[in-house]
Amino acid sequence: MTVFVDSVTTGPIAGSSKVYTGQGVPLRRVHLTTGEHFDLYDTSGPYTDEHATIDLEKGLPRRSGIVEDKGTQLQRARAGEISAEMAFIAEREGVPAELVRDEVARGRAVIPANHRHPECEPMIIGKAFTVKVNANIGNSAVTSSIADEVDKMVWATRWGADTIMDLSTGRDIHLTREWILRNAPVPVGTVPIYQALEKVDGDPTKLTWETYRDTVIEQCEQGVDYMTVHAGVLLRYIPLTVDRVTGIVSRGGSIMAAWMLAHHRESFLYENFGELCEILARYDVTFSLGDGLRPGSIADANDAAQFAELETLGELTKIAKSHGVQVMIEGPGHVPMHKIVENVRLEEELCEEAPFYTLGPLATDIAPAYDHITSAIGAAIIAQAGTAMLCYVTPKEHLGLPNRKDVKDGVIAYKIAAHAADLAKGHPRAQERDDALSLARFEFRWHDQFALSLDPDTAREFHDETLPAEPAKTAHFCSMCGPKFCSMRITQDIRDAMAEKSEEFAQQGNRVYLPLTT
């Protein structure tokens, strides 16, 4: 097949450059007009290097130091080892390496890093660390283009996606995944049952354990870092979904439900889970135990089907960890705000505090085309409560396959939710960026305000719609308040006047207690 893309050219995000620490940890360095700089966590790989042209056929350079003969990150952490990946992550997160090791050893954090994905920069998912964001990409039977999916991956990581899930269900699934993996600086996840279903011509009843197992091995060999497995959907849980408003909304969950009803037997994923653990352990692929019975509407939130499956996921978590396999748990879905925290409490109680990875949740069902917002509301709440990674939702959710702009909008919305949660949890250093941007705003350093924002391009574009001239970048007002009504300019004038008064009284020998300019 011909892939109509061989390279992609990007440049640095406005006001920034890519730098690396002595340990090779990537940073986005914001160059402030004060002569100082501010370093940010960076997920973009080489895509924000100066004048970077990426040869997609060649792929990214391989990371050195990968060890395959010492077991999984979980097994090595339990043995007391601080692996090269753990040390890299500690510097990246700004935490002690011992914390990384201990959280992985306890199963409260995972490091998705398949030995066969050497292009990936190590990262961690766990509630003791910064909240991460996943971006879903992938083709469909209706729209299928390898070039488009690779492009989405490049731009998702540029704007801050910490992981990528390739959910392709159309043509050339293997080749699409290969191009994504060889160019992905972040972990890549999949749902293997999608490709397995394609191998049996889309008929769920024709699936077999052997077809699924071989698909998992194929994807492990390619380098997939984590896999969604819907092994908690059991035959006895299907009747619990009959009275739901939206039934079973998970694609993987519905496929397995159809198979079980057709064969009148238990899920082959559940029955063969031990063998699946052995396969994933060989490559150090992380389980993302799927929520096949998650609620797809507000009406179905926190129901018996959802929580029955969650209890089974807790059982499977113990089995996976006994094989040394890292585990995270997927969560809802559609949940109103007052029911969100209960999901985190139960997940931690039933699943030994394995990292929670949630889709949203969407806090209301009434906003098609704006579901990146409805879900970001729920995402911020559930992340503050302890969710470790948020799966983004784009404006196209429920409506169509997202394009590059939808991917960016979804990533930015979820970076807001994740950072808001980090602030609320008091994560070390989380507020530093807010304080730096606030000071730039107060001092009318417009270029710095743009550069420190999550989306410098759009921030600059909005400002320049009404005040495009370069002198406006030093003006002490914007087009909303104008030169006479800017509260911050007035505040500065007040402070200047108070400072003058204080100096005048001091010269007269009087003692006054007035606040001075900071």
Side-chain angles (χ1 to χ4, degrees), residues 284-400:
D284 198 3
V285 172
T286 299
F287 270 119
S288 184
L289 292 179
D291 52 340
L293 300 181
R294 68 177 178 268
S297 57
I298 293 298
D300 298 337
N302 292 21
D303 70 355
Q306 177 192 343
F307 289 151
E309 180 189 26
L310 184 62
E311 189 169 354
T312 299
L313 297 186
E315 170 196 335
L316 297 174
T317 296
K318 294 180 178 67
I319 295 171
K321 288 163 66 175
S322 72
H323 285 79
V325 182
Q326 301 182 92
V327 184
M328 57 184 171
I329 307 296
E330 295 186 11
H334 294 238
V335 183
M337 290 193 293
H338 62 290
K339 293 184 177 182
I340 288 175
V341 173
E342 177 70 0
N343 284 267
V344 181
R345 186 190 69 78
L346 274 177
E347 187 274 341
E348 292 187 343
E349 176 186 315
L350 296 172
C351 302
E352 299 185 339
E353 294 186 275
F356 208 18
Y357 164 35
T358 60
L359 178 70
L362 284 75
T364 177
D365 294 340
I366 66 169
Y370 297 92
D371 279 336
H372 59 310
I373 299 173
T374 61
S375 62
I377 293 168
I381 296 171
I382 206 164
Q384 180 187 2
T387 284
M389 186 161 76
L390 304 169
C391 183
Y392 86 165
V393 172
T394 77
K396 289 275 181 63
E397 186 77 10
H398 305 112
L399 301 173

Side-chain angles (χ1 to χ4, degrees), residues 2 4 9 82-83 138-139 144 156 159 180 194 211 231 234 254 317 374 407 479 481 492 506:
T2 301
F4 295 100
T9 302
I82 294 176
S83 66
N139 64 21
S144 184
W159 295 112
I180 290 170
Y194 295 171
T211 300
L234 303 185
S254 65
T317 296
T374 61
V407 168
S479 61
C481 296
Q492 286 189 346

Side-chain angles (χ1 to χ4, degrees), residues 17 19 22 58 94 191 297 371-372 433 435 500:
S17 65
V19 298
K58 181 179 178 182
V191 186
S297 57
D371 279 336
H372 59 310
R433 185 174 182 179
D435 292 346
E500 290 178 8

Side-chain angles (χ1 to χ4, degrees), residues 141-414:
V142 176
T143 302
S144 184
S145 166
I146 295 176
D148 286 349
E149 299 315 315
V150 175
D151 184 68
K152 289 177 194 175
M153 182 274 296
V154 170
W155 287 88
T157 56
R158 175 186 175 87
W159 295 112
D162 297 282
T163 72
I164 295 291
M165 285 205 81
D166 175 17
L167 305 184
S168 294
T169 58
R171 298 186 302 275
D172 304 304
I173 293 177
H174 182 96
L175 188 58
T176 300
R177 187 171 58 246
E178 181 68 19
W179 278 70
I180 290 170
L181 279 164
R182 301 291 70 85
N183 291 282
V186 300
V188 174
T190 61
V191 186
I193 203 164
Y194 295 171
Q195 186 180 9
L197 187 65
E198 288 296 315
K199 292 179 179 180
V200 294
D201 300 320
D203 184 349
T205 66
K206 294 180 180 178
L207 280 168
T208 65
W209 161 244
E210 289 74 20
T211 300
Y212 182 86
R213 177 199 60 203
D214 292 348
T215 302
V216 167
I217 294 172
E218 172 189 340
Q219 295 191 7
C220 287
E221 286 284 340
Q222 268 189 296
V224 171
D225 299 288
Y226 65 96
M227 295 184 182
T228 295
V229 178
H230 297 94
V233 180
L234 303 185
L235 185 59
R236 63 182 178 271
Y237 297 158
I238 298 175
L240 299 177
T241 68
V242 171
D243 294 328
R244 280 181 160 187
V245 171
T246 48
I248 301 175
V249 299
S250 159
R251 290 189 294 197
S254 65
I255 291 167
M256 287 312 304
W259 186 90
M260 287 187 286
L261 290 175
H263 293 274
H264 305 290
R265 56 176 291 191
E266 194 58 271
S267 161
F268 59 74
L269 297 177
Y270 182 78
E271 290 186 336
N272 295 281
F273 192 73
E275 185 178 349
L276 196 55
C277 291
E278 293 173 2
I279 296 169
L280 267 59
R282 287 202 297 270
Y283 302 87
D284 198 3
V285 172
T286 299
F287 270 119
S288 184
L289 292 179
D291 52 340
L293 300 181
R294 68 177 178 268
S297 57
I298 293 298
D300 298 337
N302 292 21
D303 70 355
Q306 177 192 343
F307 289 151
E309 180 189 26
L310 184 62
E311 189 169 354
T312 299
L313 297 186
E315 170 196 335
L316 297 174
T317 296
K318 294 180 178 67
I319 295 171
K321 288 163 66 175
S322 72
H323 285 79
V325 182
Q326 301 182 92
V327 184
M328 57 184 171
I329 307 296
E330 295 186 11
H334 294 238
V335 183
M337 290 193 293
H338 62 290
K339 293 184 177 182
I340 288 175
V341 173
E342 177 70 0
N343 284 267
V344 181
R345 186 190 69 78
L346 274 177
E347 187 274 341
E348 292 187 343
E349 176 186 315
L350 296 172
C351 302
E352 299 185 339
E353 294 186 275
F356 208 18
Y357 164 35
T358 60
L359 178 70
L362 284 75
T364 177
D365 294 340
I366 66 169
Y370 297 92
D371 279 336
H372 59 310
I373 299 173
T374 61
S375 62
I377 293 168
I381 296 171
I382 206 164
Q384 180 187 2
T387 284
M389 186 161 76
L390 304 169
C391 183
Y392 86 165
V393 172
T394 77
K396 289 275 181 63
E397 186 77 10
H398 305 112
L399 301 173
L401 192 71
N403 59 27
R404 178 202 281 187
K405 183 182 184 303
D406 300 319
V407 168
K408 177 182 176 180
D409 289 347
V411 170
I412 295 296
Y414 271 68

Side-chain angles (χ1 to χ4, degrees), residues 30-38 445 448:
V30 179
H31 302 280
L32 303 176
T33 57
T34 60
E36 301 172 314
H37 66 261
F38 194 92
R445 291 185 277 117
D448 293 348

